[in-house]
Amino acid sequence: MAAIARPRDGRMLGGVCAALARRFGTSATTMRVIFVLSCLLPGPQFLLYLALWVLLPSEKTATTAW
């Protein structure tokens, strides 16, 4: 299983929904809608998003070798 990393492209805020969408094989828009709808329910969704934003590493970019 590959590690989850926040992508450099396709992110709106922190890239958490884009990373989760890539991991679960769905679109980032679908994951964002699910997140917004889940915020209507009681629970720590916003805090979980912030924690994932801090804890998930950013995707590495390809560097050119000199």
Side-chain angles (χ1 to χ4, degrees), residues 21-45:
R22 184 181 290 175
R23 169 65 179 91
F24 293 113
T26 182
S27 73
T29 303
T30 302
M31 193 60 67
R32 290 178 187 121
V33 168
I34 290 170
F35 173 73
V36 168
L37 291 176
S38 75
C39 285
L40 298 175
L41 301 171
Q45 294 86 339

